[in-house]
Amino acid sequence: MVRTRPLPGGYWASELSKAILNGTVPIDRLNDMVTRIVATWYKFGQNLDYPLPNLSTNTRNKTGPIYPGADHNVIARAVGSGTSNLPYLITPQDTIKNKASNVKFFITDAFPELDTASPCEVAMVLINADSGENYITVQGNPGDRTPAGLQAWHNGDMLVQAAADHFSNIIVVHTVGPILLDEWIDLPSVKGVLFAYLPGQEAGNSLIDVLFGDYSPSGHLPYTIPRSESDYPSTLGL
């Protein structure tokens, strides 16, 4: 038995079923796929007296035989989490308030009206680009950001450019997927770019750990960050 969840437009789920039924994928290939999964099950004796898991991401119980071990705040802060079922959320703004005293915050998609900044001031610009992951439509973007392409959402590119015109030192923080950088990466004011990838409940703490130098940014992203669209192979449709 192959159990899948529907992913319209993908290669698996219902599409795999169609491919098997119309002969595009031979039944021998399906049997091989199933064998590779089931073989591990029997190899480790999971069909026998195998212990049940002692943690679950689907509960918020603090004690008991099954508890939310995957939501442990120390682990979440160290590795980051992409779950959307957060028991709480620490934002970058929350953490910066506790780390620095002389800070102003602007939650906006457009550059705010400001007085002339002094050379010693640093601007942190947070931008993002989400993804529907091929089965969810997010703000009109089905799959991997079809209408938005690989640009930052919510006028993110223009926001960085406007900040670069006003400040001499800028740090750009981005979540969650690949974006094109060529509109602003070479601006003299842009001193660094931090890709936070998938922030979770400890997003603010983990981000500030890196930005303030308490920890070295040592993570490895599961994709390549392109500088421009030409960095992709010509066979890839964007």
Side-chain angles (χ1 to χ4, degrees), residues 9-110:
Y11 291 112
W12 308 107
S14 59
E15 296 302 314
L16 177 60
S17 300
K18 292 178 184 177
I20 296 294
L21 293 173
N22 65 26
T24 303
V25 175
I27 194 67
D28 289 345
R29 178 68 182 104
L30 176 64
N31 289 337
D32 178 66
M33 296 163 68
V34 174
T35 300
R36 292 171 184 270
I37 296 173
V38 176
T40 305
W41 177 273
Y42 286 103
K43 173 66 176 179
F44 290 97
Q46 290 181 259
N47 60 310
L48 303 174
D49 188 20
Y50 199 82
L52 294 173
N54 67 344
L55 60 87
S56 172
T57 59
N58 296 317
T59 178
R60 293 187 180 180
N61 295 333
K62 299 298 182 183
T63 60
I66 297 181
Y67 58 93
D71 286 331
H72 193 278
N73 64 312
V74 175
I75 298 176
R77 181 169 178 173
V79 304
S81 170
T83 180
S84 59
N85 185 23
L86 305 176
Y88 62 87
L89 174 63
I90 298 178
T91 68
Q93 182 176 352
D94 295 332
T95 311
I96 293 175
K97 286 180 179 178
N98 297 326
K99 192 78 172 181
S101 57
N102 188 19
V103 181
K104 292 183 180 180
F105 298 93
F106 301 92
I107 311 300
T108 176
D109 293 340

Side-chain angles (χ1 to χ4, degrees), residues 136-221:
I136 299 175
T137 297
V138 181
Q139 297 184 20
N141 286 271
D144 196 11
R145 298 174 285 165
T146 305
L150 290 176
Q151 303 301 140
W153 287 18
H154 301 286
N155 301 315
D157 294 325
M158 291 191 296
L159 185 62
V160 174
Q161 292 169 334
D165 290 337
H166 198 85
F167 291 89
S168 300
N169 298 287
I170 294 177
I171 302 297
V172 180
V173 179
H174 165 64
T175 60
V176 59
I179 58 171
L180 301 178
L181 312 178
D182 52 349
E183 292 189 14
W184 45 263
I185 190 63
D186 287 330
L187 296 177
S189 297
V190 178
K191 306 301 183 183
V193 181
L194 175 61
F195 283 85
Y197 193 47
L198 289 169
Q201 65 197 48
E202 288 284 325
N205 284 332
S206 58
L207 177 64
I208 302 308
D209 282 344
V210 174
L211 286 174
F212 281 78
D214 296 326
Y215 288 87
S216 174
S218 57
H220 298 276
L221 296 175

